[in-house]
Amino acid sequence: MPLDTALNSLGFAKPASETRVVVAMSGGVDSSVVAAQLKEEGYDVVGVTLQLYDHGAALAKKGACCAGRDIHDARRVAESMGFPHYVLDYENTFREAVIDEFADSYLAGATPVPCIRCNERVKFKDLLATAKDLDADCMATGHYIRREMGPTRAELHSAADANRDQSYFLFSTTQEQLDYLRFPLGGLASKDETRALAARYGLSVADKPDSQDICFVPNGNYAAVIEKLRPGAAEPGEIVHADGRVLGAHRGLIHYTVGQRRGLGIGGLDEPLYVVKLDVDARRVVVGPKEMLATRRVPLREINWLGEGGFADQAEREVLVRVRSTRPPAPAVIRPINATKAEVELLSPEQGVSPGQACVFYETEGTRVLGGGWIWKGH
């Protein structure tokens, strides 16, 4: 083939018809549009949907992905656009890699983010391996994030639409995975554009509501799921002020998170109190004034570095970090301890920084995602 062959829209020097792409289809509008768009462009599209839990039990549940209804929707899109579609049973893998850790993290007083673990351990690991087994040139998803070619390699960048950006949930994507992945929606200006494309392709999911809950947590009731997974987990204990005063009783640590104010059942006090710590060993919920939530130093582990050079090559790095998915990136300094651990110093204190959440790194100028790590209690 001539060296000057133009690259197709997925970055390969061959015709779209000779480029096979596996599309991870959740049954929602985003991944459906990706599959339809690539099929229209002439690619050899193969749709794959993962059955992640007992979809019979979840068939009527709204606001979550990968349930029975969603598998049906993905299949309908594939049929209407004329490409093959497969459903893979990943229920055991999903439970072991995501759900069990979710439950255990809550029991340990953390606030986990299972969607990150699902991307890391299921979608971008096992499903990606399946795509390679199918001889696909790449795998595409409906995530709102951008993959751009830098001077030496593929880079991860936040989405053009800041309101839809999913970079927080994809920080653990490795360089090897990034080389193989494609994110066609990352450059769209808004979700309205995605829905307009769905309507243009005549997709049945064009008006389907977005997923809101974690897929295996109906109605956002984390505690009910954990009690089902870990019977006896909701052991009662004391609610204690940081100064040592016992203020009341709680019905199980799994019902509380750091930063929580409402629903503590300790009204009638002069000052508003917040959960500042969950003492797992003593089964105590520790509360205090809002200023006790302010944190400047954040210990991290399981670092995934996507920047230049080795993570520990520099004593410190100035970056922007996001310590919760709902917060904007803020200035910070990373000080590596080794290749997978670091301490982050926030230049302005943040409230409610909680073990189990992610801390994601961004360039100080521009949109590049440099990786991130998991917040933990430290030594």
Side-chain angles (χ1 to χ4, degrees):
M1 184 170 291
L3 294 176
D4 60 352
T5 300
L7 299 182
N8 61 33
S9 65
L10 293 178
F12 297 99
K14 56 183 175 178
S17 60
E18 298 176 13
T19 305
R20 175 170 293 177
V21 52
V22 163
V23 179
M25 299 183 68
S26 68
V29 64
D30 298 325
S31 56
S32 296
V33 164
V34 167
Q37 185 177 50
L38 293 174
K39 177 62 178 178
E40 185 188 60
E41 291 179 16
Y43 287 98
D44 177 10
V45 173
V46 178
V48 176
T49 300
L50 302 182
Q51 178 186 313
L52 297 179
Y53 54 87
D54 181 1
H55 64 86
L59 198 60
K61 181 160 71 73
K62 298 179 180 179
C65 70
C66 305
R69 176 82 246 170
D70 300 306
I71 292 172
H72 174 73
D73 287 342
R75 183 177 290 120
R76 285 182 65 191
V77 168
E79 288 174 352
S80 70
M81 295 300 297
F83 60 82
H85 174 258
Y86 302 98
V87 178
L88 304 181
D89 182 358
Y90 275 47
E91 192 171 331
N92 289 337
T93 299
F94 185 66
R95 178 167 186 136
E96 293 169 4
V98 179
I99 297 180
D100 284 345
E101 183 187 87
F102 170 83
D104 292 340
S105 294
Y106 254 100
L107 293 179
T111 308
V113 191
C115 297
I116 299 177
R117 289 302 197 193
C118 182
N119 290 325
E120 173 188 318
R121 297 177 174 176
V122 182
K123 293 177 182 174
F124 290 179
K125 183 182 177 185
D126 295 335
L127 177 55
L128 192 145
T130 298
K132 290 183 177 180
D133 289 342
L134 292 169
D135 292 325
D137 294 283
C138 64
M139 186 174 89
T141 79
H143 289 107
Y144 286 87
I145 195 165
R146 288 178 293 174
R147 175 192 184 275
E148 297 184 358
M149 288 307 300
T152 60
R153 57 184 174 171
E155 298 176 353
L156 201 61
H157 288 255
S158 51
D161 178 5
N163 293 321
R164 304 296 305 179
D165 176 54
Q166 291 176 291
S167 58
Y168 183 85
F169 300 99
L170 296 170
F171 84 86
S172 61
T173 305
T174 66
Q175 187 65 48
E176 182 181 2
Q177 292 165 346
L178 185 57
D179 290 340
Y180 192 70
L181 290 163
R182 300 295 187 274
F183 308 107
L185 302 184
L188 297 186
S190 71
K191 183 62 176 269
D192 290 341
E193 286 193 34
T194 308
R195 294 199 181 277
L197 285 170
R200 181 162 77 80
Y201 297 132
L203 303 184
S204 58
V205 295
D207 296 320
K208 187 174 182 176
D210 290 341
S211 299
Q212 299 296 330
D213 298 330
I214 295 171
C215 65
F216 59 91
V217 183
N219 306 316
N221 189 347
Y222 297 1
V225 171
I226 295 164
E227 285 187 84
K228 184 177 180 181
L229 292 168
R230 302 288 187 269
E235 295 184 37
E238 296 176 331
I239 298 177
V240 181
H241 195 284
D243 64 14
R245 288 176 289 149
V246 177
L247 302 179
H250 66 76
R251 53 200 177 92
L253 294 182
I254 61 175
H255 294 281
Y256 303 85
T257 58
V258 173
Q260 179 178 337
R261 179 185 174 187
R262 300 182 185 279
L264 300 180
I266 50 172
L269 300 171
D270 293 336
E271 60 176 346
L273 296 176
Y274 299 77
V275 176
V276 297
K277 181 182 178 183
L278 298 175
D279 186 338
V280 177
D281 294 335
R283 295 207 314 275
R284 284 181 162 183
V285 174
V286 182
V287 298
K290 190 174 184 178
E291 54 265 26
M292 287 191 68
L293 288 171
T295 301
R296 287 192 62 173
R297 296 190 181 276
V298 184
L300 302 182
R301 61 185 176 184
E302 293 183 63
I303 300 287
N304 179 54
W305 178 245
L306 291 172
E308 303 306 320
F311 176 65
D313 288 352
Q314 295 180 212
E316 60 180 43
R317 302 173 187 268
E318 293 184 9
V319 295
L320 300 178
V321 302
R322 179 178 278 161
V323 293
R324 280 189 184 270
S325 63
T326 54
R327 298 193 183 163
V333 175
I334 308 172
R335 296 187 177 92
I337 296 170
N338 54 39
T340 60
K341 286 185 179 179
E343 183 178 78
V344 167
E345 181 182 357
L346 305 171
L347 300 194
S348 296
E350 293 255 11
Q351 295 181 339
V353 176
S354 176
Q357 296 283 300
C359 176
V360 181
F361 314 149
Y362 300 85
E363 280 184 329
T364 54
E365 301 288 340
T367 59
R368 189 176 179 186
V369 183
L370 299 174
W374 291 94
I375 301 169
W376 67 306
K377 294 183 176 72
H379 295 292

